[in-house]
Amino acid sequence: MLESDVALMNTAPGASRSGEDELVTAAQLQTLLQEHGWTGRFDRDERELDEVRQVRGELRRVWALDRDAMVDAVNAVLDTTEIAPHLVRHDGKDWHLHASPSDAPLAARLRLETAFALVDVIRADETDRLRECGAEDCDGVLLDLSRNRSKRFCSQRCANRTNMTAYRRRQAGDTDDRPDDDAA
């Protein structure tokens, strides 16, 4: 679940590969949902798209919170949303929990399913695995599932760009420290 949240949040300008908003059409939303196995009601209209973009921003703000503040945000969603948890099995996935009815609006399901996933993260005291990208010029997020908790970038592209920038800074520093051949 949280992987699909990361994908959704990383469609925003400043976080996306293109640097543009990658969630501007209902077709883009449908593609994202299909890639991440979302089922249930999809209205495929502008209202739904606007609501999902709003949820994208809400999720981004929650992602950056510390554990105690995240509890407050999760509880706020759980207090204001129709909760109807039930076990389902679909699309080759074994039994798993859906927190809301499949006919609920997509934005409501996104909020609630994410809140349920974050409950587990908070209870396991693993909120430090929810990170913002370490690249200075990226607003992306990542879910660090590495054993040694060392993932710093939302994509290999950001890692490569950051490493190249650091390399160029080091090279520029090295050349500045060298004596001028003409000065001798």
Side-chain angles (χ1 to χ4, degrees), residues 7-32 49 53 56 157:
L8 172 63
M9 288 183 276
N10 287 344
T11 63
S16 69
R17 287 189 163 169
S18 67
E20 304 291 324
D21 190 338
E22 294 180 350
L23 196 57
V24 294
T25 68
Q28 288 172 315
L29 175 58
Q30 184 170 348
T31 299
L32 179 71
L49 183 61
R53 282 195 300 252
R56 175 180 69 183
R157 189 175 126 263

Side-chain angles (χ1 to χ4, degrees), residues 126-156:
E126 296 285 356
T127 55
D128 62 328
R129 291 186 180 272
L130 311 178
R131 300 209 180 121
E132 297 174 287
C133 183
E136 293 176 8
D137 59 345
C138 181
D139 295 329
V141 297
L142 60 111
L143 175 61
D144 182 3
L145 298 177
S146 67
R147 180 175 287 176
N148 64 358
R149 300 170 185 254
S150 62
K151 190 171 178 183
R152 295 179 36 219
F153 303 102
C154 68
S155 67
Q156 190 61 46

Side-chain angles (χ1 to χ4, degrees), residues 25-130:
T25 68
Q28 288 172 315
L29 175 58
Q30 184 170 348
T31 299
L32 179 71
L33 297 171
Q34 286 173 340
E35 287 174 358
H36 293 280
W38 275 84
T39 59
R41 172 182 162 190
F42 302 121
D43 296 338
R44 295 174 178 85
D45 59 19
E46 287 301 313
R47 180 179 177 185
E48 181 178 68
L49 183 61
D50 290 341
E51 289 173 352
V52 169
R53 282 195 300 252
Q54 181 180 347
V55 169
R56 175 180 69 183
E58 293 170 15
L59 295 179
R60 179 65 175 84
R61 287 185 289 281
V62 170
W63 200 266
L65 296 174
D66 67 37
R67 185 176 184 221
D68 291 340
M70 190 178 289
V71 167
D72 293 337
V74 167
N75 280 337
V77 171
L78 296 176
D79 286 344
T80 62
T81 309
E82 179 186 331
I83 300 174
H86 54 282
L87 289 169
V88 296
R89 183 167 47 189
H90 58 84
D91 299 329
K93 297 177 186 171
D94 200 5
W95 292 108
H96 59 282
L97 186 67
H98 280 202
S100 59
S102 61
D103 63 344
L106 178 58
R109 288 185 289 133
L110 282 168
R111 278 187 192 97
L112 193 53
E113 297 292 339
T114 301
F116 264 61
L118 290 174
V119 165
D120 290 335
V121 173
I122 292 165
R123 290 180 61 214
D125 195 15
E126 296 285 356
T127 55
D128 62 328
R129 291 186 180 272
L130 311 178

